[in-house]
């Protein structure tokens, strides 16, 4: 475990304090989990970029279709695979 | 289920079908994955699914690219016991699919997987409405 001194905006610190309390974890543990998630997102987007490097970038239409599908699934509606035209 | 009565899902749970779709270069799968990450959502998959993916998929490089942005949840003692019990009640040996449903129910996720009856059967047993993107 590494100890670091970090500075946070007052509002952010208060929100983290509240969120940590709600989640039943320490301030440090909450921040660590948030940082871990952000790192995973970053690594994941690099993985997507690597795949795009091999096969071609996702088009604006494909990106929009992905966003729409995500929104549909998050709203609790099932879907079936569909193809989007590659530009 | 109609959109009006649907329950909101917090994230995405990847089944074996999602891993295979990514490995074969299914562009919709990758667009969905990117959309999730861009919205701060890290999809999750059970460790047993990853094991099955590497057992059955030749394109392990592409699995690695997908899993770089996916949380692989360890198959804990509790999840293993619960999955085993659900599998017994569903009369199936497909522990991989059951583990995905168990995870999706526990973490309130939509499932991305191949359409399989066992997914719906297990979800119904758990009293959890399956939200599925069938790849």
């Amino acid at each position: 475990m590494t100890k670091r001194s970090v500075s946070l905006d007052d509002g952010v610190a208060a929100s983290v304090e509240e969120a940590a309390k709600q989640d039943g974890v320490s301030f440090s543990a909450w921040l660590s989990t948030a940082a871990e998630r952000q790192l995973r997102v970053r690594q994941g987007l690099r993985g997507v970029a690597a795949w795009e490097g091999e096969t071609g970038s996702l088009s604006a239409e494909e990106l929009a279709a992905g966003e729409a599908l995500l929104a549909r699934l998050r709203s609790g509606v099932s879907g079936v695979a569909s193809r989007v035209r590659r530009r | 289920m109609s959109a009006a009565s649907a329950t909101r899902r917090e994230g995405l749970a990847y089944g074996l079908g999602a891993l295979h779709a990514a490995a074969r270069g299914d562009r919709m799968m990758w667009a969905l994955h990117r959309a999730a990450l861009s919205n701060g959502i890290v999809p999750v998959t059970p460790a047993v699914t990853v094991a099955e993916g590497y057992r059955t998929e030749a394109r392990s490089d592409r699995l690695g690219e997908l899993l770089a942005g996916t949380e692989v949840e360890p198959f804990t003692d509790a999840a293993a016991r619960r999955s085993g019990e659900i599998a017994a009640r569903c009369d199936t040996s497909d522990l991989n699919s059951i583990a995905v449903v168990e995870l999706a129910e526990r973490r309130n996720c939509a499932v991305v997987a191949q359409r399989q009856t066992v997914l719906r059967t297990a979800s119904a047993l758990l009293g959890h409405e399956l939200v599925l993107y069938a790849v």
Side-chain angles (χ1 to χ4, degrees):
Chain A
M1 190 72 74
T2 302
K3 270 193 177 298
R4 292 285 170 93
S5 174
V6 296
S7 299
L8 297 176
D9 177 87
D10 290 345
V12 172
S15 296
V16 170
E17 190 83 56
E18 181 62 29
K21 194 181 293 179
Q22 285 174 6
D23 294 350
V25 297
S26 69
F27 190 94
S28 291
W30 198 95
L31 274 186
S32 181
T33 300
E36 188 181 347
R37 175 166 294 266
Q38 194 57 35
L39 286 167
R40 178 64 75 177
V41 166
R42 185 181 159 91
Q43 288 168 357
L45 289 172
R46 284 183 177 171
V48 174
W51 173 79
E52 286 181 306
E54 298 161 18
T55 64
S57 297
L58 290 163
S59 68
E61 185 185 19
E62 288 170 330
L63 292 173
E67 290 282 348
L69 175 57
L70 176 67
R72 220 165 51 236
L73 291 171
R74 290 194 76 198
S75 67
V77 179
S78 291
V80 292
S82 59
R83 291 187 188 284
V84 286
R85 270 199 311 278
R86 188 175 167 184
R87 296 256 165 101
Chain B
M1 173 179 274
S2 70
S5 64
T7 306
R8 190 163 177 79
R9 299 291 181 236
E10 299 298 326
L12 300 178
Y14 288 166
L16 185 61
L19 272 57
H20 282 310
R24 71 171 178 264
D26 182 320
R27 298 185 71 79
M28 195 65 215
M29 178 66 219
W30 280 98
L32 174 63
H33 184 62
R34 178 170 163 160
L37 292 168
S38 297
N39 284 276
I41 296 168
V42 177
V44 60
T45 191
V48 66
T49 300
V50 174
E52 188 64 9
Y54 276 89
R55 186 182 77 82
T56 56
E57 179 56 60
R59 295 297 310 261
S60 59
D61 54 336
R62 288 200 174 157
L63 288 184
E65 288 163 355
L66 184 82
L67 294 173
T70 305
E71 177 191 343
V72 179
E73 192 189 82
F75 205 34
T76 63
D77 178 41
R81 288 175 190 225
R82 193 160 181 243
S83 294
E85 288 166 3
I86 298 165
R89 291 173 67 191
C90 290
D91 195 24
T92 181
S93 59
D94 186 358
L95 283 170
N96 163 54
S97 295
I98 295 294
V100 173
V101 171
E102 192 274 335
L103 183 157
E105 187 268 341
R106 184 163 35 81
R107 295 180 59 166
N108 191 27
C109 291
V111 172
V112 182
Q114 281 187 318
R115 187 182 298 283
Q116 289 173 285
T117 305
V118 69
L119 295 175
R120 206 159 289 284
T121 306
S123 293
L125 267 174
L126 292 169
H128 179 73
E129 182 69 34
L130 177 69
V131 176
L132 173 69
Y133 173 57
V135 289

